[in-house]
Amino acid sequence: MSKNLLITGASRGIGRATALLAAAQGWTVGVNYRSDRAAADEVVAQIHAAGGQAIAVQGDVANEADVLRLFETMDTLGPLHGLVVNAGIVAPPMALLEMSGERLQRMFDVNVLGSYLTAREGARRMALSRGGVGGSMVLVSSVAASLGSPFEYVDYAGAKGAMDVLTRGLAKELGGEGVRVNAVRPGLIDTDIHASGGQPDRAERLGKATPLGRAGRAEEVAEAIVWLLDDKASYTTGALIDIAGGR
Ligand code: NAP
């Protein structure tokens, strides 16, 4: 029987790569997106063409009503077995003393509130005491949480720090509920997120200074996420796995 997996922000980048790999390994995937319906439909079409199962589901993770609707749509597929809390944003680089309140609000709404709301709905569905069948949750944090990202985005780094704390705490809350909770912490991965922050060449430029001497690929992060989702990682919970080329 196929297992159901929801991935937030799966229309491109790391979420997309994870959706394609998970579907190839037999997961039925909910491909969440916020604004780019065509990109999400393309991911679903690619999965179908390869013989897999997927649906596209719109929803802004920063909006609680959207998150509830997103999970209700997933409920129509049957029990939820996996969740990847991946949707996230960056903003143009600057020091904290230049940041507007509006920017800080959106950063924490999407990256922190959105992650907590998504993880909560996943927990409500997967916890054994709630009638769930157990499962695995993977949060996509960042090594920024350790680096602090000074003069670039300390707001983003702080939001990812909150995701690390959520991972550790929720793993303890859900250990007896049949649910494992882990995080991956990517470094400089070559996706469109850098262009959205006004620095399209950021991963390539800074990747050269990492111990592995290059930026990472979304597929390299997806491998770790899909392993954590799988029963192969059955004794791993509360872990933060850096996928950052040694950065
Ligand atoms: P990306 O290419 O910019 O993709 C972001 C995805 O999130 C898109 O599918 C986007 O959908 C969706 N999204 C954005 N805001 C959303 C919202 N409010 N609600 C629902 N979906 C939303 O980013 P990425 O590089 O793959 O990053 C994925 C995750 O990895 C993020 O959490 C990011 O912080 C983390 N990460 C990335 C890197 C890196 O170097 N790339 C490093 C460390 C951590 P739409 O296009 O439809 O808006």
Side-chain angles (χ1 to χ4, degrees):
M1 192 194 71
S2 177
K3 291 182 170 181
N4 296 314
L5 168 67
L6 173 63
I7 305 174
T8 61
S11 57
R12 59 173 200 260
I14 293 168
R16 176 181 187 276
T18 305
L20 296 175
L21 181 63
Q25 297 193 7
W27 293 86
T28 295
V29 184
V31 175
N32 161 250
Y33 67 99
R34 182 184 54 91
S35 56
D36 194 345
R37 166 108 221 174
D41 283 345
E42 188 274 333
V43 176
V44 169
Q46 203 167 320
I47 290 172
H48 287 167
Q53 301 290 325
I55 57 169
V57 200
Q58 195 278 331
D60 181 341
V61 297
N63 179 312
E64 186 173 20
D66 277 19
V67 174
L68 296 179
R69 182 174 45 74
L70 175 58
F71 277 86
E72 281 160 13
T73 304
M74 287 303 294
D75 290 343
T76 64
L77 301 177
L80 188 71
H81 303 85
L83 171 64
V84 182
V85 182
N86 170 74
I89 56 167
V90 296
M94 63 183 72
L96 176 64
L97 49 78
E98 305 291 348
M99 289 180 192
S100 68
E102 194 179 306
R103 166 186 168 133
L104 292 171
Q105 185 77 57
R106 186 65 186 162
M107 187 64 65
F108 289 110
D109 278 354
V110 175
N111 292 355
V112 181
L113 179 64
S115 296
Y116 272 73
L117 290 171
T118 307
R120 183 194 70 190
E121 290 309 303
R124 284 176 172 172
R125 281 163 177 81
M126 291 193 276
L128 298 176
S129 67
R130 294 281 200 136
V133 295
S136 175
M137 203 184 290
V138 181
L139 287 81
V140 184
S141 174
S142 170
V143 287
S146 291
L147 300 171
S149 304
F151 305 109
E152 198 170 29
Y153 27 64
V154 291
D155 52 349
Y156 173 82
K160 294 299 182 179
M163 290 180 73
D164 288 357
V165 173
L166 173 61
T167 301
R168 291 206 189 280
L170 195 57
K172 289 172 182 160
E173 288 189 2
L174 298 180
E177 292 279 4
V179 183
R180 294 181 296 103
V181 184
N182 294 287
V184 293
R185 307 200 319 163
L188 295 155
I189 310 300
D190 189 11
T191 72
D192 291 345
I193 202 169
H194 306 291
S196 73
Q199 303 185 82
D201 66 338
R202 180 173 177 270
E204 194 195 341
R205 181 169 39 87
L206 299 179
K208 291 188 180 116
T210 63
L212 291 188
R214 63 171 176 87
R217 290 178 283 107
E219 291 76 14
E220 293 176 301
V221 182
E223 288 286 352
I225 295 173
V226 172
W227 175 74
L228 286 167
L229 288 171
D230 194 272
D231 289 343
K232 287 178 190 161
S234 53
Y235 200 56
T236 304
T237 198
L240 311 176
I241 300 181
D242 288 5
I243 305 167
R247 190 165 189 237

